Amino acid sequence: MQTAVAIPDKLFFKIGEVCDLVGVQPHVLRYWETEFPMLQPQKNRAGQRTYRRKDVEMALRIKELLYDERFTIAGAKRKLSTEGRPNSAKLKVVGAAASVVDATFEFAEGGSEGGMNTQLRPVSRDAIERLKLMAEDLLTTLSRDI
């Protein structure tokens, strides 16, 4: 089994940094991207790959399956696809995250002939994006613990 790798507390990683953390060459990471759909780093405007923490963790898991547990590419794909299936605890977290997003909408009361006129007023896109990232990080953390 592989030893635990300390992943720096950063939002984005360049391919060289990921290679150093995972212990493989850049061409290996690029090949894994073609074989494992769950490893899909984004590209910036210059076309450079930007890996998030979940991508680094996935690359480490792929290396563990291929190098330590001696899975084939096809076997590792099957193993990762079964690991990625949501269970009831993860579904509850997704439901809780949706509730958090719903809670970000404020109700504005206004008078109307004998009744209330209730309208939803959304919060900023930045706040929603932060909530989305928090939910993704929470799911990543839970997937390691569950």
Side-chain angles (χ1 to χ4, degrees):
M1 293 296 278
Q2 84 180 33
T3 58
V5 174
I7 301 172
D9 191 21
K10 295 172 53 172
L11 288 177
F12 299 104
F13 300 84
K14 293 180 180 180
I15 192 168
E17 295 170 314
V18 179
C19 289
D20 291 342
L21 289 169
V22 177
V24 296
Q25 294 293 314
H27 70 273
V28 174
L29 273 182
R30 290 190 298 267
Y31 174 70
W32 287 353
E33 290 171 25
T34 66
E35 292 294 325
F36 297 94
M38 58 285 293
L39 180 62
Q40 292 298 316
Q42 296 178 341
K43 292 187 180 180
N44 63 19
R45 290 181 186 175
Q48 296 174 327
R49 288 166 171 79
T50 55
Y51 294 81
R52 292 179 52 178
R53 181 179 197 87
K54 67 179 183 169
D55 297 315
V56 176
E57 291 168 350
M58 182 56 63
L60 287 166
R61 181 66 179 132
I62 291 169
K63 181 184 178 191
E64 180 181 19
L65 289 172
L66 296 176
Y67 291 37
D68 299 337
E69 297 181 32
R70 310 302 258 173
F71 277 80
T72 62
I73 295 283
K77 282 183 193 179
R78 281 193 299 276
K79 177 75 171 167
L80 288 171
S81 68
T82 60
E83 287 179 358
R85 290 188 182 146
N87 59 29
S88 61
K90 287 182 185 176
L91 292 175
K92 287 179 186 175
V93 171
V94 170
S99 297
V100 169
V101 172
D102 289 343
T104 61
F105 288 90
E106 301 172 359
F107 285 96
E109 297 179 0
S112 128
E113 300 176 350
M116 282 173 70
N117 180 14
T118 305
Q119 299 175 348
L120 290 177
R121 190 177 36 181
V123 295
S124 71
R125 286 187 186 273
D126 290 339
I128 293 172
E129 186 63 29
R130 282 194 307 271
L131 285 170
K132 180 181 167 195
L133 290 173
M134 288 170 39
E136 287 174 357
D137 289 340
L138 181 60
L139 286 172
T140 300
T141 301
L142 286 174
S143 68
R144 281 185 262 141
D145 297 337
I146 293 178

